[in-house]
Amino acid sequence: MTPVRIMIFAKAPLPGLAKTRLIPSLGAEGSAQLARRMLHHTIDEALRADVGIVELCVAPDLEDPIWTKLALPASLILSTQGEGDLGMRLARASQRVTDNGEAILLIGTDCPGLTANVLRKAANSLDGHDSCLAPVSDGGYALLGVRHHLPELYSDIPWSTHIVAELTRQRILKAGWSFFELDKLHDVDEPDDLHWVPSEWGEFNSELH
């Protein structure tokens, strides 16, 4: 089986930087607190999936003190996203990992439903497919997995629109790649998405439910 690396793309969970579209409902500090909770949840689930190396690819760079204050697990690999738009940053990560002979699962921290079981299913699918995708209800995706680098998956994509997953799916199929699609999930980006926050995250119940 090809080794699989989970690459988590994350913004620093700071007020005014992370989850800014939730500020009207939660305020800047509340949005940052939820971003921190989602970051730790994503890291924990990625490590629990136990499919290979887990790398946290961050913005801003690693010199920001927030990354030492978060008490991140010692087994986590840290890297910086670097310059450019989201597509350029994802493409660099994809090429670096696949050129090293690994498959990659590219994920963010916006999807509480991206659990260890889902990540294991995605990783296992790459044993028999060139790619996999976990779409989300707003038309984007929570996970993109590839065994090889395909630049078209990251260039000229209208990020944060309702056609991201469909356009990515079309480009995968146009390349002649085999493809596995996981069940649709739900991101938490907008105030209307807050009901997807797990009820067991009790510290948010009074604000979100």
Side-chain angles (χ1 to χ4, degrees):
M1 181 176 177
T2 303
V4 178
R5 180 180 297 239
I6 299 178
M7 179 82 73
I8 305 169
F9 269 61
K11 288 182 180 178
L14 295 169
L17 180 65
K19 310 309 296 178
T20 54
R21 284 179 280 175
L22 296 178
I23 289 176
S25 292
L26 302 181
E29 183 56 44
S31 298
Q33 289 175 3
L34 179 57
R36 285 192 287 274
R37 185 68 179 84
M38 294 173 75
L39 172 65
H40 284 293
H41 169 76
T42 303
I43 293 169
D44 291 345
E45 294 298 311
L47 291 171
R48 196 162 65 87
D50 194 27
V51 299
I53 292 170
V54 178
E55 181 174 336
L56 182 65
C57 194
V58 306
D61 64 34
L62 291 170
E63 294 179 0
D64 193 289
I66 184 65
W67 302 116
T68 57
K69 293 177 181 177
L70 287 172
L72 299 172
S75 59
L76 199 63
I77 303 296
L78 297 176
S79 63
T80 298
Q81 293 180 21
E83 300 299 322
D85 67 10
L86 177 60
M88 292 175 63
R89 289 176 275 141
L90 290 172
R92 276 197 301 268
S94 168
Q95 185 162 22
R96 169 166 60 86
V97 172
T98 57
D99 282 356
N100 194 44
E102 298 171 273
I104 187 170
L105 299 180
L106 290 158
I107 65 174
T109 63
D110 297 331
C111 184
L114 202 57
T115 63
N117 286 339
V118 174
L119 292 168
R120 277 193 290 267
K121 187 175 183 179
N124 289 338
S125 77
L126 292 178
D127 199 28
H129 300 81
D130 296 306
S131 60
C132 61
L133 185 77
V136 291
S137 53
D138 66 4
Y141 59 76
L143 175 152
L144 173 64
V146 296
R147 292 172 57 186
H148 320 284
H149 181 57
L150 184 65
E152 297 94 309
L153 299 183
Y154 315 103
S155 62
D156 299 319
I157 299 285
W159 302 106
S160 300
T161 70
H162 67 283
I163 62 170
V164 170
E166 178 58 28
L167 190 55
T168 303
R169 190 183 295 113
Q170 290 175 7
R171 292 185 182 184
I172 287 171
L173 296 175
K174 184 177 181 181
W177 281 11
S178 55
F179 172 65
F180 181 84
E181 185 154 331
L182 294 106
D183 293 338
K184 186 176 290 185
L185 299 169
H186 305 278
D187 274 350
V188 177
D189 288 321
E190 305 279 354
D192 288 347
D193 301 327
L194 289 172
H195 65 282
W196 296 114
V197 174
S199 58
E200 60 267 26
W201 294 6
E203 67 268 34
F204 297 104
N205 284 353
S206 62
E207 296 176 278
L208 308 186
H209 296 281

